[in-house]
Amino acid sequence: MGYQSDVEVQLRESKTIAVVGMSPRPSRPSHYVAKYLMEQGYKVIPVNPAVEEVLGMKSYPDIVSIPERVDMVDIFRRSSQVPPVVEDAIEAGARFIWMQDGVVNEDAAARACNAGMSVVMDNCTLREHSRIYGGSS
């Protein structure tokens, strides 16, 4: 895992997190991880073109549609679907890419790094935040 060194920096320096693939279903990891992040004080913005809102918040079809700058793009999509998300994140000026457990795309990670972004891959924001800061999950 060559993309793990920035875990704490990403969590500490992020205030606004776009959660790509955020589900409205409470049993889905993208839903309960996003809810946890909100409870820890982060501003979470759902990104899912299939739904209008999640957890009472407007859901956007993609990152470039979000009307404010996001710090972190937290990706809950298949590994093969990561490259266009990274391209949107670069275009939108995000600083950090976080690919959740099981999400691995070396080419997209390299593209993000080459654009000056910090990348975490195949890791969970909830687990890492809880480990570092002792939040309740």
Side-chain angles (χ1 to χ4, degrees):
M1 313 273 190
Y3 296 100
Q4 298 305 313
S5 61
D6 299 307
V7 167
E8 193 167 353
V9 170
Q10 285 203 27
L11 291 171
R12 183 179 61 245
E13 294 186 11
S14 292
K15 303 291 182 247
T16 303
I17 302 174
V19 179
V20 178
M22 188 168 164
S23 173
R25 295 186 302 184
S27 63
R28 301 293 297 164
S30 62
H31 185 95
Y32 62 76
V33 168
K35 187 173 180 189
Y36 170 87
L37 292 171
M38 290 169 61
E39 290 166 354
Q40 302 309 310
Y42 295 96
K43 179 175 184 177
V44 170
I45 300 174
V47 178
N48 183 338
V51 296
E52 299 260 334
E53 71 173 46
V54 182
L55 290 171
M57 299 174 295
K58 176 179 173 47
S59 179
Y60 292 89
D62 51 44
I63 297 159
V64 295
S65 298
I66 298 170
E68 64 186 280
R69 187 163 183 248
V70 298
D71 300 307
M72 179 195 295
V73 176
D74 194 2
I75 305 173
F76 287 87
R77 303 296 301 147
R78 288 186 181 94
S79 298
S80 63
Q81 297 173 331
V82 169
V85 174
V86 167
E87 291 304 320
D88 281 357
I90 292 168
E91 182 180 336
R95 296 177 55 205
F96 307 118
I97 293 289
W98 191 301
M99 298 181 220
Q100 283 289 331
D101 284 347
V103 182
V104 176
N105 191 304
E106 296 285 348
D107 291 340
R111 173 74 176 104
C113 286
N114 289 338
M117 301 173 87
S118 170
V119 177
V120 172
M121 188 164 54
D122 192 21
N123 205 339
C124 176
T125 48
L126 184 156
R127 182 178 58 243
E128 290 298 323
H129 186 280
S130 183
R131 177 183 66 81
I132 294 166
Y133 298 106
S136 59
S137 53

